[in-house]
Amino acid sequence: MDCENGADTSTSKRKLCRLVALSFALLCILQATLNISLRLPFYSSDTTTTPDCEAIIKNLTKEEDIKMNELARYIQQGWIYFKHSLYYVSSTENTWNDSREDCLQRGADLVIINSREEQNFIREFKNRTWIGLTDAEKEQTWKWVDGTTPTISFWYIGEPNNVDGGEDCGEIYFYKRENSWNDAPCGRKNVWICEKNL
């Protein structure tokens, strides 16, 4: 709408133009007032109670940059990011203990599965895979590598069954099914997945 158009001189259009202009001016005044009132606490003369916001923002930005650089470095090394964790999938096979040792050398540990989403993510690799679960310390008392007991489990039907008394390490075996965990001899060679929490 052109408020300056001489051809259109009706009273109602002029009133509408004035109303729009007045509303815009009031919004500008309101915005300026809010900006000033919200910034006042940051520019208070009492520096003992008001944090140095610029320093905080710089620190947060620096920390964020460090985390992003670290994440990029891991991804370049073949790690995969999923839900606040990094995962490394081996390209070779090894025993459970040697697999765990490899993870520890990478600053991680064998994967600990804490949710259905994570279970389904791990199954996507479609391999017989070591996970960080063992009952080597006490038979049928399954623990994760961090010493915690599983809060959720995905054992296949009839598992764990400790066939021949020597199945003390957890693996994903039946990867086509959600309930895919199996107990297996720790000396078997599988691929493995390391997990590193960010």
Side-chain angles (χ1 to χ4, degrees):
M1 173 182 354
D2 185 3
C3 295
E4 299 293 322
N5 190 345
D8 193 28
T9 57
S10 77
T11 308
S12 62
K13 287 195 176 185
R14 271 192 253 153
K15 286 182 181 179
L16 181 60
C17 284
R18 286 183 187 150
L19 182 62
V20 168
L22 181 62
S23 297
F24 183 71
L26 287 173
L27 280 174
C28 288
I29 292 169
L30 180 61
Q31 170 100 30
T33 305
L34 279 172
N35 284 346
I36 291 168
S37 65
L38 289 174
R39 289 181 187 202
L40 279 177
F42 296 115
Y43 295 105
S44 170
S45 60
D46 183 10
T47 56
T48 58
T49 58
T50 304
D52 183 1
C53 292
E54 278 188 39
I56 291 171
I57 290 169
K58 282 180 184 176
N59 283 340
L60 288 175
T61 304
K62 187 176 180 180
E63 287 174 20
E64 206 53 40
D65 286 345
I66 290 168
K67 286 180 183 179
M68 290 305 289
N69 288 336
E70 183 180 9
L71 179 60
R73 188 170 31 101
Y74 278 109
I75 290 172
Q76 286 173 347
Q77 294 171 2
W79 292 75
I80 300 162
Y81 178 80
F82 178 76
K83 299 245 180 188
H84 309 293
S85 288
L86 288 164
Y87 298 85
Y88 178 82
V89 183
S90 72
S91 57
T92 59
E93 296 181 348
N94 219 328
T95 65
W96 189 91
N97 288 319
D98 288 342
S99 299
R100 182 170 189 212
E101 185 58 36
D102 176 77
C103 291
L104 292 170
Q105 288 177 7
R106 295 175 189 275
D109 211 334
L110 285 171
V111 64
I112 295 174
I113 299 171
N114 293 311
S115 68
R116 177 168 270 108
E117 292 82 14
E118 190 173 25
Q119 165 71 2
N120 290 331
F121 169 73
I122 299 300
R123 285 178 41 240
E124 288 298 314
F125 297 107
K126 296 182 170 82
N127 278 313
R128 192 172 196 157
T129 308
W130 287 127
I131 58 176
L133 196 58
T134 182
D135 75 342
E137 194 175 292
K138 183 179 178 190
E139 189 58 40
Q140 293 301 317
T141 302
W142 289 91
K143 290 187 178 182
W144 291 111
V145 287
D146 67 357
T148 61
T149 56
T151 56
I152 188 170
S153 68
F154 298 96
W155 292 107
Y156 186 69
I157 300 164
E159 300 294 344
N161 57 13
N162 198 33
V163 170
D164 297 328
E167 296 186 327
D168 292 328
C169 291
E171 66 176 356
I172 287 186
Y173 178 57
F174 308 96
Y175 61 83
K176 293 181 181 176
R177 299 172 182 259
E178 185 174 71
N179 289 345
S180 58
W181 294 358
N182 178 51
D183 58 338
C186 300
R188 175 182 289 156
K189 292 192 174 184
N190 286 344
V191 298
W192 65 93
I193 299 180
C194 304
E195 179 180 12
K196 181 178 184 66
N197 293 318
L198 290 179

